[in-house]
Amino acid sequence: MLRGVNQQIIFEDEEDFRYFISILSMCRDICGYTIFAYCLMNNHIHLLMEEGTEPLSIVFKRICDRYVYWYNHKYERMGHLFQDRFRSEPVETERYFLIVIRYIFQNPVKAGIVSKVNQYRWCNYQAYLGVKDFTDTKKVLRCFAGINEFEFFMNSDANEKCMDISSVKCTFISDEKGKEVMWKLTGCTNVAEFQKLERNHRNLCIQKLKGAGLSVRQISRLTGVSKSVVGRL
């Protein structure tokens, strides 16, 4: 798992999502890893993969370096984009393997973005329904009697807890709506533009966003300003 520094948004538009997915495909050919599941959220990423010829530390350095270089160039920014290093845990049983995949695919549902797992665009769920990509689906599908059983399992209610990034919770105003509010109140359409504002003007904008009903955590995600700073304003 990876998340943005200060939990800020790391995918501003569709091009960003698509480019990161292309990096996963490109680096797979270099590093030899196998992808079973991925889900890209606005400010964090879930991946279930099996190591290949290179250790995960090298794998994620390749992935992150490519995306950060591209993102910083696109948005004319400098510095870190991801918070700390990736977090990982071993998946050692078939039962937990399937639980983790379901947990990853249900992330957008639990966040209130979609109502069913097959509705979210920025994951590889469709690969299991026959859309060709770089996912290895055979190991997962062998665990089910057929595609109907697979879909039933992936959409069934689940209370199991997997290791997660404790950040994304539903808010009364969605992040998509929050971005619209930010653009209207500040004139900034992405994190990089906001971070270029003069500090006093930036602080005034944060106060406006708070007054519009955005939470401290949400403002931090949308602007890249730390929660402690947002909370003090």
Side-chain angles (χ1 to χ4, degrees):
M1 292 171 287
L2 289 163
R3 72 172 168 187
V5 63
N6 292 327
Q7 302 177 31
Q8 77 170 53
I9 286 178
I10 54 179
F11 301 110
E12 298 282 357
D13 57 27
E14 291 188 6
E15 184 183 35
D16 297 346
F17 283 107
R18 290 196 182 98
Y19 190 73
F20 190 88
I21 291 170
S22 74
I23 290 173
L24 288 181
S25 178
M26 179 198 318
C27 289
R28 185 200 65 155
D29 295 336
I30 298 170
C31 307
Y33 56 72
T34 301
I35 291 279
F36 300 110
Y38 67 79
C39 183
L40 314 184
M41 303 292 281
N42 278 345
N43 75 335
H44 69 285
I45 299 159
H46 295 272
L47 286 165
L48 178 58
M49 57 167 52
E50 185 174 34
E51 278 186 347
T53 55
E54 295 185 336
L56 288 182
S57 59
I58 300 299
V59 168
F60 279 96
K61 186 176 189 310
R62 291 188 187 278
I63 292 172
C64 293
D65 284 355
R66 282 167 169 77
Y67 186 70
V68 172
Y69 177 82
W70 182 84
Y71 183 96
N72 283 354
H73 178 74
K74 176 180 176 180
Y75 294 106
E76 299 179 343
R77 68 183 294 276
M78 298 177 64
H80 297 291
L81 179 63
F82 294 107
Q83 181 171 314
D84 303 321
R85 70 192 295 275
F86 68 94
R87 294 178 59 199
S88 67
E89 67 170 351
V91 177
E92 298 176 329
T93 67
E94 180 180 289
R95 180 178 178 275
Y96 192 54
F97 177 67
L98 298 177
I99 286 172
V100 170
I101 291 177
R102 178 169 61 183
Y103 182 81
I104 290 174
F105 286 149
Q106 288 191 359
N107 217 244
V109 178
K110 297 292 177 63
I113 299 172
V114 295
S115 58
K116 294 183 178 180
V117 294
N118 66 356
Q119 296 172 335
Y120 192 66
R121 298 174 61 189
W122 310 117
C123 71
N124 62 328
Y125 186 80
Q126 293 297 327
Y128 288 92
L129 305 184
V131 177
K132 187 175 178 59
D133 75 349
F134 55 89
T135 301
D136 184 336
T137 61
K138 294 179 181 178
K139 184 172 183 176
V140 176
L141 293 178
R142 279 198 299 265
C143 300
F144 298 93
I147 195 64
N148 290 337
E149 185 177 285
F150 166 82
E151 289 199 87
F152 178 80
F153 178 82
M154 292 301 160
N155 283 279
S156 60
D157 291 336
N159 296 317
E160 297 97 345
K161 297 295 183 182
C162 301
M163 185 183 71
D164 199 359
I165 295 172
S166 56
S167 61
V168 179
K169 297 182 179 178
C170 293
T171 55
F172 290 106
I173 300 176
S174 69
D175 278 352
E176 289 303 313
K177 182 63 177 177
K179 284 196 280 188
E180 293 177 11
V181 172
M182 183 171 118
W183 178 83
K184 182 177 180 180
L185 294 181
T186 71
C188 299
T189 58
N190 57 61
V191 174
E193 285 184 13
F194 189 89
Q195 292 178 342
K196 292 177 183 178
L197 296 177
E198 185 272 329
R199 188 173 66 175
N200 289 336
H201 181 49
R202 179 205 69 179
N203 292 348
L204 180 61
C205 288
I206 290 174
Q207 291 171 355
K208 289 181 179 179
L209 293 173
K210 292 171 77 173
L214 277 67
S215 69
V216 169
R217 188 183 295 274
Q218 189 174 32
I219 293 170
S220 178
R221 287 201 302 273
L222 294 171
T223 65
V225 179
S226 71
K227 293 193 296 293
S228 61
V229 172
V230 175
R232 290 198 299 267
L233 297 173

